[in-house]
Amino acid sequence: MRTIDVGDVIEIVAEMVKEINYHLPEDVYHRLEAMGPLESSLTGKHILRELLKNADLASQKEVPICQDTGMVVAFVEVGQEVKLEGGLLTDAINAGVRKGYEEGFLRKSVVGNPLERVNTKDNTPAIIYYDLVEGDQIKIELGAKGFGSENMSRSKMLKPSDGRAGVIDFVKETVSLAGPNPCPPIVVGVGIGGTLDKAAQIAKKALLRPIGQHHSEASVILLEEELLEGINKLGIGPQGLGGNTTALWVNVEMYPTHIAGLPVVVNINCHASRHAKRVI
Amino acid sequence: MSEIKRINLPLTDEVVRSLKAGDNVLLSGELYTGRDAAHKRLIEAIDANQALPLPIEHQTIYYVGPAPAKPGEVIGSAGPTTSYRMDDLTLPLLERGLKGMIGKGERAEKVIEGMKKYGAVYFAAIGGAGALIASTIIKKEVIAYEDLGAEAIHRLVVKDFPAIVVIDSEGNNLYRTEREKYKGE
């Protein structure tokens, strides 16, 4: 057994939320840089350049890339040989969010009761998913999820006979309906299979996988590539003002499902795709 | 991209009529912030025949909930939020003389009809360029609903705030026309 003090988790999470909000992750930055010259709309090219300028300024001044500094979503893998000390892990993650958002001058966007809508004033609670795994480490992968793009996400319980083509149609339809609203160029996370909730969870997890890093299975890579190409033919372009850079990347995750079903969830992220991973 | 037009705020009727979908503008002068919760309160005030806490006539509302300002800064990052959430709460403001709206994303048909009827223009700012946009904001003061925090109504003074006319007072909509041009490319 290895002992980990949850106090370490607080500090690490606080650092992570500040870092991802100030510094656009390298994978996203490089992808924006690479896609600029390929954009055929002049307005589109201009917008892509402005986004890089914005990222540079935010990084240099250590201010948020975007004022919607998001709701924190964390995927946490806990090794079965870890012994936690000093309190509950969930409390520590939320304490890290609280500390990071306060210290970092990040916007607190979380409301408690969703119908009464009173701000919790510290951006907690985070959405946390746990997995028990082998080993004696804790891996924390988290994102700061903006809601302009979250609001444009959709789910559908397809029929098994709808198959791959049905999935492609639904993803493209979702991006098309979203149009300019989720701040394109977007990153698209697609969850296929499982149950309604599992598909949503893996779609979210897909958004945390870095741009440029495909799925491990060849057939899924082909689907990711076909989706990206199809989405970039929709004409939406940067900020929805026309062009061929509608999506920066598409990540697909799959899970076994029931003989009667084919759940699909499309989770959209804006170009400020803020994500990071740490191992303790 | 079209030549850049420098526009002073508040907007006169003449300027509103001269702005066309696709125009790149730099806005200077005063505007008001307001998003979901503030709009809800404004409409409640109108429904209850109460006076509004801001002068609506000829003014521009920016749909934004800024990040907190760091010490020494005027404002934190301050890019636009998605506009459609204000669609059901916009007509009463247009009726009372609102001339400009700044946000991002599509508007409902009824808002576009209202813009044509009363003469108003809808600008898009670059969503997610919050740090860049904040650098064009030179003054900020809370004028109403302080309890709403980032969602309170602020009066901002801006200098060369970059935006694009997306829907003009004739109802021309850049989102629709431009997307068609690049479809299938």
Side-chain angles (χ1 to χ4, degrees):
Chain A
M1 292 298 275
R2 175 173 165 239
T3 301
I4 295 177
D5 187 328
V6 296
D8 295 346
V9 173
I10 298 176
E11 295 307 318
I12 284 167
V13 169
E15 280 310 308
M16 286 173 91
V17 297
K18 282 188 274 183
E19 181 195 302
I20 58 176
N21 273 297
Y22 297 159
H23 310 289
L24 189 65
E26 271 186 26
D27 58 314
V28 187
Y29 192 96
H30 292 317
R31 186 69 176 166
L32 281 168
E33 250 181 342
M35 289 189 88
L38 308 174
E39 172 54 59
S40 48
S41 148
L42 287 180
T43 302
K45 270 186 196 296
H46 168 74
I47 290 167
L48 296 174
R49 278 196 302 270
E50 290 292 291
L51 294 180
L52 289 170
K53 249 165 75 180
N54 181 67
D56 291 340
L57 183 66
S59 185
Q60 175 210 326
K61 292 179 75 172
E62 298 214 309
V63 296
I65 301 155
C66 175
Q67 72 292 334
D68 183 355
T69 50
M71 187 167 191
V72 175
V73 183
F75 286 83
V76 182
E77 289 182 4
V78 182
Q80 294 201 112
E81 290 155 50
V82 171
K83 182 174 181 296
L84 289 158
E85 262 187 11
L88 292 175
L89 183 55
T90 300
D91 291 348
I93 293 168
N94 280 319
V97 170
R98 188 175 298 123
K99 185 171 194 283
Y101 274 72
E102 190 52 43
E103 281 176 0
F105 296 90
L106 307 180
R107 196 181 77 185
K108 291 87 182 170
S109 311
V110 175
V111 294
N113 178 317
L115 295 179
E116 290 166 9
R117 309 202 70 78
V118 178
N119 200 300
T120 62
K121 296 198 164 78
D122 60 7
N123 222 50
T124 69
I127 311 280
I128 309 170
Y129 298 104
Y130 290 106
D131 240 341
L132 274 177
V133 298
E134 274 183 11
D136 62 359
Q137 294 179 322
I138 296 178
K139 186 170 96 182
I140 301 174
E141 202 173 1
L142 61 77
K145 189 65 179 72
F147 258 58
S149 54
E150 190 72 4
N151 282 335
M152 295 297 116
S153 305
R154 287 164 88 223
S155 65
K156 190 168 184 183
M157 304 306 274
L158 293 179
K159 296 191 296 291
S161 63
D162 292 330
R164 191 175 185 273
V167 169
I168 292 172
D169 285 348
F170 181 65
V171 175
K172 280 164 61 179
E173 180 188 79
T174 300
V175 174
S176 184
L177 286 170
N181 295 346
C183 284
I186 55 176
V187 179
V188 183
V190 183
I192 305 171
T195 48
L196 175 74
D197 51 313
K198 186 67 185 178
Q201 187 197 335
I202 59 178
K204 179 71 82 234
K205 185 137 206 281
L207 287 180
L208 297 182
R209 193 190 332 139
I211 289 174
Q213 190 184 312
H214 275 297
H215 194 273
S216 57
E217 286 171 41
S219 66
V220 184
I221 297 175
L222 283 177
L223 179 60
E224 289 174 338
E225 287 174 341
E226 194 174 331
L227 284 170
L228 181 62
E229 198 186 329
I231 288 167
N232 282 335
K233 282 185 180 161
L234 292 173
I236 297 166
Q239 295 293 307
L241 292 169
N244 45 15
T245 317
T246 300
L248 295 173
W249 197 253
V250 179
N251 279 332
V252 176
E253 290 292 335
M254 298 215 195
Y255 198 83
T257 190
H258 189 279
I259 48 172
L262 178 55
V264 184
V265 172
V266 183
N267 197 188
I268 299 181
N269 209 352
C270 57
H271 55 78
S273 173
R274 292 152 289 186
H275 58 90
K277 190 183 350 186
R278 292 284 165 78
V279 179
I280 304 172
Chain B
M1 278 185 61
S2 67
E3 194 187 323
I4 292 171
K5 290 186 180 176
R6 290 196 133 78
I7 302 295
N8 290 320
L9 302 174
L11 295 166
T12 63
D13 291 332
E14 197 187 350
V15 168
V16 169
R17 276 194 300 272
S18 75
L19 290 169
K20 300 296 170 208
D23 285 351
N24 281 285
V25 297
L26 292 174
L27 305 171
S28 296
E30 66 169 36
L31 51 78
Y32 292 86
T33 70
R35 50 174 292 161
D36 308 65
H39 270 74
K40 192 159 171 262
R41 288 200 191 171
L42 288 175
I43 300 308
E44 282 165 2
I46 287 172
D47 289 346
N49 282 319
Q50 290 164 355
L52 294 180
L54 74 162
I56 276 283
E57 225 174 319
H58 293 287
Q59 294 298 341
T60 297
I61 293 185
Y62 179 24
Y63 304 142
V64 61
K70 276 192 156 179
E73 302 276 352
V74 174
I75 195 167
S77 292
T81 195
T82 324
S83 308
Y84 75 89
R85 297 192 313 270
M86 272 54 79
D87 281 352
D88 289 341
L89 307 167
T90 296
L91 277 181
L93 302 176
L94 291 173
E95 273 170 31
R96 281 160 184 77
L98 178 72
K99 290 291 161 198
M101 294 162 284
I102 310 172
K104 67 176 172 88
E106 289 281 7
R107 302 312 302 263
E109 208 46 52
K110 63 183 173 191
V111 173
I112 300 175
E113 286 307 313
M115 290 168 58
K116 284 156 71 175
K117 185 172 173 189
Y118 300 108
V121 63
Y122 172 55
F123 303 95
I126 298 181
L132 264 187
I133 293 170
S135 67
T136 70
I137 298 170
I138 54 181
K139 202 176 158 194
K140 176 192 76 166
E141 57 178 330
V142 178
I143 66 144
Y145 314 144
E146 196 164 2
D147 60 299
L148 295 178
E151 288 204 66
I153 295 183
H154 293 79
R155 193 176 81 97
L156 302 183
V157 178
V158 298
K159 174 99 173 65
D160 293 338
F161 178 110
I164 299 169
V165 178
V166 172
I167 305 175
D168 62 28
S169 58
E170 292 170 355
N172 299 304
N173 184 342
L174 202 63
Y175 287 135
R176 289 183 200 162
T177 53
E178 295 306 293
R179 183 167 169 173
E180 281 308 310
K181 286 185 198 166
Y182 294 94
K183 211 172 241 179
E185 223 184 71

